[in-house]
Amino acid sequence: MSVNWRNIGLFAAMGVVLLLTATLQSWQLALTILNMSLISAIMALGVNMQWGYAGLFNVGIMGFTAVGGLAAVLIAMPPVTEAWAAGGLGTILGLMLGLATILAAVAVYKRMTPGRLRGAAILGVIVVGWGVSRFFFAPATSAIQAVNPASEGYLGGLGLPVILAWPVGAVFAAGAAWVVGRISLGLRSDYLAIATLGISEIIIAILKHERWLARGVNNVTGIPRPVTRPVELQPQPWVQELAARLGWTVPETAAILSALGYAMLFTIVLAILIWLAEKALNSPWGRMMRAIRDNEVAARAMGKNVTRRHLNIFVLGSAVCGLAGAMMVSMDGQLTPGSYEPLRFTFLVWVMVIVGGSGNNWGSVLGAFVIWFLWVQVEPAGRWLMEIVTSNMDVDSDLRRHLLDSASYMRLFTMGVALLLVLRFSPRGLIPER
Amino acid sequence: MDPLSALITLTNFVLIPAFAYGSQLALGALGITLIYSILRFSHFAHGDIMAFGTMVVIFTTWGFQAIGITGGGIIPTALLAIPVGIAAMAVYLLVTDRLVYRFFRQVKARPLTFVMASLGVMFVTNGLTRLFIGTSERRFEDGERFIFSVRDFREWSGLAEGLALRSAQAITIITALLVMVALFWFLTRTKSGKSMRAYSDNEDLALLSGINPERVVTITWVIVAALVVTAGTLYGLDKGFRPINYFQLLLPMFAAAIVGGLGSPIGAIVGGYVVAFSEMGITYAWRRFFTHLMPEDMGPDSMLQLLPVDYKFAVTFAILVIVLIFRPTGIFRGKSI
């Protein structure tokens, strides 16, 4: 494989831009952008597997990242023993009964002959099962939520190291994806889009509403972090020495060191994923996927089970998104279900993949860096632009205040324009598929 | 035992709101279905162009109120502003079509490329809406608020249970029915409507018989503009205007269109009502209804609410899943591309 200088140049240019941000604005800002870009790159890789390799249109990325984030809470937070004593058993029993209801309904559907009687039987099973499981579930969850509601009021997690949450987050997302995929793959292509849009809204609704699970809109804060926190770094003598040598303040140095730690961890994960993804793409499996994407009918005629392969890759890609979600929550140290917005978590990742170049792993990574950088920097730029536009206006005028307030929405507009321009003039993206 | 009170409770809390909401969804879903059958892609910007159109209506309403044009205190001024909104929306949609979609039509791009482009339009429209009007809730309803209020009804009927009909709900239902009748008249009786249906059924055959595809596309966008602006304004009158709520209408509108059968206008209307009635029915607390139906001392203890209101998306989704599993082409056998 020959060295592709163009791509290396593009990445180098991105690095230079980040370095410029570091020197002109601040190192902390540059590192924050870098870390979030790395996480976005992983999400983009996941989406690229689905869209670029297989042509699957997933608009539920937000849901899969949120499920990954939930894993960070369930793995790393210490268990709340009081809550477990108050309602742990009832909750689990209620959930089990709910599951049993669904399985029973499926069994009835499969065993009985079609007809009115079967419909009535299924309805009966669901109504009775629903009632019984609610009977155990509702009092148990309200008991849990009553336990120390200001800071706990949920079951807590397992108290395990937070790094474990990353693979577990991937598994959670894969589970959700399997259910959605089983239902909607094999039908017409748009149906997957609608189904994933739905499942992601439901996942967010569950996270917001089920307070016994992860405190809902009250947020879980103080999730253990994989990297030493800046506050704990500050008293270390070597940090203080380093700060003195560089001429920075101690808190600043500690924050930068901590961010660098995350950057290293994330880079390792990204590197492993990219290596695996490239291997997969260039293997017989990857060629089969692209063959299916380019001509489903021909691939089916060659004896490939298209629906099964689609399910494989859909689950894989969603798992990668879940991994990224868990990483993001463990970096922020908090799970805030209220902050999951589809424009930010689903559609922005799509812009990254399309702009970077769908079908090419390196393209997705570059797209993630470029788009995240723009996403962060367009807001101040928009405000600056608005300052200029409104500089002639009366300081107290409503229009001026309104324009300045709405500067932050400039970035939605910019992202849309970027996506449309790339689709129109360079549909293969910054780094096209080979 | 008091079945009449039970019926009135049900009408007040479920039937009327669901009928109004269903009408709004049906109008939205009709737009989605039309775009799907003529332009052949799933239009993801639908919720956001709805918000944009409603925003134009709100600004026009404010302008009308400022120069003294109102609905005379009877009908909301916004109804008078709808034509302006439709005109602005038609221009906006035709401009996006020329700038964005036409190119992809000419190169015969895959349907998913169109969907992707509609994502871009969604971003741009969303940004513009927020830029112009902000994200906070706006109420723009004026005129008489109630056709009859709970108190009027109690005095008139002498019953303990109240029943109210808000003007916004009544206007929604009447306007939606008028728009649907007009649309069906257009599709089945006029030459342009027939050419649209012909184009939707078989593109090649329609081209051979001399139908101008660009004209069909233009008419479609104008009709879609009328549908979304009407639906958006009615929804805003009923529940208040917030851009994020309009974005979230995307799921129930698509569900309605798919449940009815993508590409089938009748299906979109039926789907809209199916989705609305299930959402309302499953998230409603049935306790009061059953208290009236049962003997005095046997009233139910719990709220009898199947799901909290936060899960209305889950209801929509469940209906969608059931349809996808058992009848993937929808109730009215839509088409598959």
Side-chain angles (χ1 to χ4, degrees):
Chain A
M1 199 177 81
S2 66
V3 180
N4 190 331
W5 289 108
R6 180 174 168 274
N7 296 352
I8 293 174
L10 283 170
F11 272 98
M14 190 64 228
V16 170
V17 169
L18 275 177
L19 274 179
L20 279 177
T21 313
T23 44
L24 294 178
Q25 288 176 292
S26 77
W27 278 95
Q28 276 183 42
L29 178 68
L31 281 171
T32 321
I33 296 180
L34 174 70
N35 281 338
M36 208 49 223
S37 298
L38 287 166
I39 290 179
S40 304
I42 293 175
M43 291 184 194
L45 268 184
V47 176
N48 185 39
M49 287 178 191
Q50 297 174 342
W51 171 248
Y53 301 5
L56 297 178
F57 190 42
N58 170 11
V59 278
I61 306 161
M62 169 182 75
F64 298 117
T65 46
V67 156
L70 177 65
V73 172
L74 295 186
I75 293 293
M77 288 306 278
V80 182
T81 39
E82 269 177 81
W84 274 103
L89 207 63
T91 309
I92 290 176
L93 194 62
L95 287 177
M96 293 294 218
L97 284 170
L99 192 66
T101 308
I102 296 173
L103 292 180
V106 172
V108 170
Y109 176 74
K110 283 192 175 152
R111 290 284 167 80
M112 287 175 72
T113 45
R116 292 249 165 100
L117 194 64
R118 183 173 77 169
I122 292 177
L123 195 71
V125 167
I126 290 178
V127 168
V128 171
W130 180 264
V132 173
S133 48
R134 281 292 280 210
F135 177 75
F136 289 102
F137 188 69
T141 50
S142 40
I144 292 171
Q145 283 158 18
V147 175
N148 194 3
S151 60
E152 288 166 343
Y154 74 121
L155 284 175
L158 298 173
L160 297 170
V162 72
I163 292 281
L164 265 181
W166 296 3
V168 174
V171 172
F172 278 15
W178 186 81
V179 174
V180 180
R182 271 306 295 259
I183 296 168
S184 51
L185 284 171
L187 299 172
R188 89 178 68 131
S189 52
D190 313 45
Y191 280 178
L192 181 71
I194 310 293
T196 46
L197 186 74
I199 197 79
S200 73
E201 292 287 351
I202 291 173
I203 289 173
I204 300 299
I206 292 176
L207 284 185
K208 278 183 180 165
H209 188 79
E210 300 299 323
R211 280 182 291 146
W212 57 272
L213 184 65
R215 301 198 71 224
V217 282
N218 297 333
N219 304 340
V220 179
T221 49
I223 299 172
R225 290 161 197 246
V227 175
T228 323
R229 292 161 61 205
V231 187
E232 289 153 23
L233 277 177
Q234 282 177 30
Q236 306 273 0
W238 64 272
V239 175
Q240 293 180 348
E241 197 180 303
L242 188 70
R245 189 175 301 165
L246 290 169
W248 293 342
T249 61
V250 178
E252 197 185 352
T253 319
I256 289 173
L257 281 174
S258 181
L260 271 178
Y262 281 112
M264 270 161 60
L265 266 182
F266 293 165
T267 312
I268 293 170
V269 176
L270 180 62
I272 295 173
L273 279 176
I274 262 219
W275 182 73
L276 288 174
E278 282 288 295
K279 277 273 178 216
L281 190 60
N282 296 319
S283 69
W285 180 84
R287 282 195 291 276
M288 173 182 68
M289 282 300 173
R290 279 176 292 166
I292 291 177
R293 178 196 65 189
D294 292 338
N295 194 337
E296 268 184 37
V297 180
R300 199 169 271 137
M302 296 291 290
K304 305 296 176 199
N305 187 340
V306 173
T307 310
R308 285 294 289 268
R309 295 288 84 74
H310 275 170
L311 187 62
N312 288 156
I313 196 120
F314 182 65
V315 168
L316 260 180
S318 301
V320 173
C321 290
L323 171 74
M327 288 164 64
M328 191 183 70
V329 166
S330 63
M331 179 175 78
D332 295 340
Q334 56 181 359
L335 179 69
T336 51
S339 68
Y340 284 86
E341 267 191 54
L343 281 175
R344 153 73 186 84
F345 280 94
T346 296
F347 298 113
L348 193 65
V349 180
W350 269 106
V351 179
M352 291 168 181
V353 174
I354 300 294
V355 169
S358 47
N360 189 314
N361 294 318
W362 293 104
S364 310
V365 174
L366 181 69
F369 273 83
V370 171
I371 292 299
W372 185 255
F373 181 82
L374 284 178
W375 181 254
V376 174
Q377 299 284 17
V378 160
E379 192 180 345
R383 184 157 297 130
W384 175 76
L385 192 74
M386 285 294 177
E387 294 274 358
I388 295 179
V389 170
T390 58
S391 57
N392 291 329
M393 290 187 198
D394 188 13
V395 182
D396 294 324
S397 85
D398 278 341
L399 183 63
R400 175 167 195 267
R401 200 176 312 126
H402 177 77
L403 283 175
L404 285 179
D405 283 347
S406 23
S408 56
Y409 306 120
M410 284 292 284
R411 55 187 186 185
L412 292 175
F413 183 77
T414 323
M415 288 306 136
V417 172
L419 179 63
L420 288 175
L421 287 178
V422 170
L423 272 180
R424 170 75 172 76
F425 295 106
S426 156
R428 284 155 63 79
L430 289 172
I431 305 183
E433 185 183 356
R434 263 167 286 144
Chain B
M1 279 274 276
D2 187 2
L4 184 63
S5 296
L7 189 65
I8 291 172
T9 323
L10 189 69
T11 313
N12 192 29
F13 290 104
V14 179
L15 298 185
I16 294 181
F19 202 41
Y21 178 48
S23 308
Q24 294 147 6
L25 284 186
L27 290 183
L30 271 175
I32 289 181
T33 267
L34 276 184
I35 297 177
Y36 191 85
S37 53
I38 303 288
L39 292 138
R40 302 175 205 280
F41 70 95
S42 302
H43 186 228
F44 268 76
H46 213 71
D48 282 301
I49 63 165
M50 209 162 167
F52 189 84
T54 314
M55 177 193 75
V56 175
V57 169
I58 293 178
F59 282 138
T60 318
T61 308
W62 289 343
F64 277 1
Q65 284 166 345
I67 58 171
I69 303 176
T70 59
I74 304 165
I75 59 165
T77 315
L79 281 191
L80 305 177
I82 284 184
V84 182
I86 292 177
M89 195 74 243
V91 171
Y92 184 83
L93 286 178
L94 287 175
V95 168
T96 35
D97 185 67
R98 291 289 175 276
L99 291 180
V100 181
Y101 301 121
R102 189 158 74 169
F103 168 77
F104 297 116
R105 266 203 307 280
Q106 280 163 354
V107 299
K108 296 214 184 308
R110 291 193 304 158
L112 279 178
T113 312
F114 282 94
V115 177
M116 217 50 101
S118 81
L119 283 189
V121 173
M122 179 187 92
F123 261 108
V124 171
T125 316
N126 193 306
L128 286 177
T129 311
R130 291 174 189 215
L131 199 64
F132 290 138
I133 202 165
T135 50
S136 50
E137 178 162 345
R138 309 270 173 185
R139 288 218 157 252
F140 56 101
E141 191 185 359
D142 59 359
E144 194 65 51
R145 275 186 61 78
F146 287 97
I147 303 278
F148 55 86
S149 66
V150 170
R151 185 191 297 185
D152 296 339
F153 182 80
R154 282 208 186 115
E155 280 171 5
W156 174 76
S157 65
L159 290 170
E161 275 299 334
L163 177 66
L165 180 62
R166 294 199 356 255
S167 325
Q169 293 168 332
I171 289 172
T172 298
I173 294 169
I174 295 169
T175 318
L177 289 179
L178 288 179
V179 170
M180 288 171 201
V181 170
L183 179 68
F184 276 94
W185 176 81
F186 176 81
L187 286 179
T188 50
R189 295 270 182 268
T190 63
K191 202 167 172 235
S192 308
K194 284 178 187 164
S195 64
M196 269 174 73
R197 289 195 301 148
Y199 185 81
S200 143
D201 276 350
N202 190 330
E203 199 178 331
D204 297 330
L205 221 52
L207 291 179
L208 273 178
S209 49
I211 290 172
N212 177 1
E214 285 303 309
R215 186 160 169 272
V216 170
V217 167
T218 309
I219 296 173
T220 309
W221 282 121
V222 172
I223 294 177
V224 168
L227 288 171
V228 290
V229 172
T230 316
T233 310
L234 294 176
Y235 185 84
L237 282 174
D238 193 8
K239 301 205 173 73
F241 173 82
R242 275 187 75 194
I244 181 76
N245 289 349
Y246 281 73
F247 171 78
Q248 289 181 330
L249 276 181
L250 198 60
L251 180 64
M253 285 191 302
F254 261 107
I258 293 179
V259 167
L262 260 178
S264 151
I266 289 270
I269 295 171
V270 173
Y273 289 115
V274 168
V275 169
F277 276 95
S278 336
E279 259 189 30
M280 291 281 176
I282 290 179
T283 55
Y284 173 64
W286 289 86
R287 179 186 187 169
R288 226 158 111 188
F289 177 75
F290 281 107
T291 319
H292 285 307
L293 275 189
M294 298 209 178
E296 289 290 316
D297 48 343
M298 276 180 60
D301 302 328
S302 72
M303 295 296 287
L304 289 181
Q305 188 180 20
L306 286 174
L307 272 180
V309 182
D310 309 56
Y311 287 138
K312 58 175 201 260
F313 288 128
V315 180
T316 316
F317 186 71
I319 302 170
L320 188 64
V321 165
I322 291 170
V323 169
L324 287 188
I325 293 177
F326 296 107
R327 197 168 174 139
T329 46
I331 302 172
F332 283 88
R333 296 269 180 233
K335 59 164 123 195
S336 174
I337 288 180

